[in-house]
Amino acid sequence: METRVAGERALLAGVGISSVGIGMYIPFSLVFFHHVTGLSFTLVGLVMTITGVAGLAFMPLAGTAVDRFGAKKVNLVLYGMRAVGFALYPFASSLAAFAAVTLVTALADRSFSVVQQSLIGEVARGSARDRLQASIRALQNAGMGAGALLVTGVLALWGTGGFTYTAWGNALAFTLAGLLVSRVRPVRDGEGGPAKREAAGYRMVLRDRPFLGLTAANFLTALGYSALSVLFPLYLSTWLMAPDSLTGAAFTLNTALCAGVGVLIASRVRRSGARRTRSAALGSLLFAAAFVGQIVLGTVRPGQTATLVALMAIVVVYTLGELVHSPSGGALSVSAAPEAVRGRYLATYQLSYSLATALAPSLFTALLAVDGRLPWAVLAVSALGAALALVRLEPHLPAEAVHAEPPAPAVARTAAPAAA
């Protein structure tokens, strides 16, 4: 029986609202900041790169803060930092001011996933963690899609001057999200409650070989998560010679599936009783199948209509892999982390996503320059390696991490006592 989370609706509403704000600027980030601040694209790009790297360096400190003060408090601080940052962007017309404001928001943005994952561990337990993972991912996709549509309408009405209203809209969205999340109540009993914070550092994480193995396996899968946004558009234009409009169609299909059936698929996986390691491994295998499909398509290179149909089918398989892997993998990492040092553990785990995101552009472009099918082959092997690693790690991970619900105890067969 899943335990309901106190304030769950407020938490999900906060995620949805903040995702609308993110969707209003992520698709146009360089253009957005150029028009809001008046700085050149070159300066904007340079500042975003430098502050983004600084944000990665801040993630371990965020993990330490979670362990010391609790995920909910740190989550509210990060929402506040983002709200203040976006409220100040229209006034940051100088390079120094823009760099300062961008640094504040980058620190909050980069660490937010660590803190949100820790918050799930703090407020939920058992299969409720898997449910929250799926619901949050669906809301994030729906919210970002709605945000992109909203900013399109704003720009149509007010032109580039609408970016200023978008910045203030983001500030309002993050403020409302923080107010909603403040209503969430941590679990106070059992393994899900906030434990007394023990003095333990990152040495404990580095000594935990099964968790490091889990992090490495996630890095292999995380490379696949970058494929749709980084590799797919390049592959279409340079290898398949397909129209760029197919990229938009693929993104739309992926977003619609994540928002529309993500919770349903995660619920089916959860109710099947599958171990989280096996579910995450299945997601990786679906990724591998989609990548092999790209290799076949890149070898056959059919006509435009057949290419469209094949690409959409591949995107469906890819998205199914994402929807199966993400809730199980996220809940697995949260539950495998000891409660007293959960923040540090998840900061380490989230670095696997950040490193994959940073490596993907250079890796994919280098492989694509050799052969358009080569990056898909590397991704297929990586996904298969991740699936194998997850299965092999299973006996070395805590039972409460592997199983969404505790397995039924085995009933011992004992002989009837002899009559006196």
Side-chain angles (χ1 to χ4, degrees), residues 87-139:
L88 292 177
Y89 267 125
F91 307 103
S93 55
S94 70
L95 177 59
F98 174 62
V101 175
T102 303
L103 178 61
V104 171
T105 53
L107 296 181
D109 284 342
R110 293 289 184 174
S111 299
F112 191 79
S113 58
V114 174
V115 179
Q116 183 164 268
Q117 289 291 95
S118 300
L119 181 62
I120 292 173
E122 194 171 275
V123 304
R125 57 188 177 186
S127 57
R129 289 176 177 171
D130 303 69
R131 188 187 69 246
L132 277 181
Q133 294 277 357
S135 299
I136 285 173
R137 187 162 190 85
L139 280 170

Side-chain angles (χ1 to χ4, degrees), residues 16-28 32 141-174 176:
I17 290 172
S18 64
S19 296
V20 171
I22 294 170
M24 285 194 291
Y25 80 93
I26 284 293
F28 310 97
F32 173 90
N141 279 276
M144 290 180 68
L149 289 175
L150 180 59
V151 74
T152 301
V154 169
L155 295 178
L157 286 174
W158 289 291
T160 56
F163 281 120
T164 297
Y165 301 114
T166 301
W168 289 334
N170 284 335
L172 178 61
F174 290 132
L176 290 175

Side-chain angles (χ1 to χ4, degrees), residues 328-350:
S328 299
L332 179 63
S333 65
V334 171
S335 302
E339 189 176 355
V341 285
R342 183 181 290 137
R344 291 176 173 89
Y345 266 68
L346 293 181
T348 304
Y349 184 82
Q350 289 296 321

Side-chain angles (χ1 to χ4, degrees), residues 212-238:
L212 293 180
L214 186 64
T215 303
N218 190 66
F219 170 78
L220 296 177
T221 307
L223 286 172
Y225 275 92
S226 301
L228 189 62
S229 59
V230 179
L231 175 58
F232 193 82
L234 294 174
Y235 176 71
L236 281 180
S237 60
T238 63

Side-chain angles (χ1 to χ4, degrees), residues 11 40 60 200 216 272 282 296:
L11 172 62
S40 69
S272 72
L282 174 59
V296 173

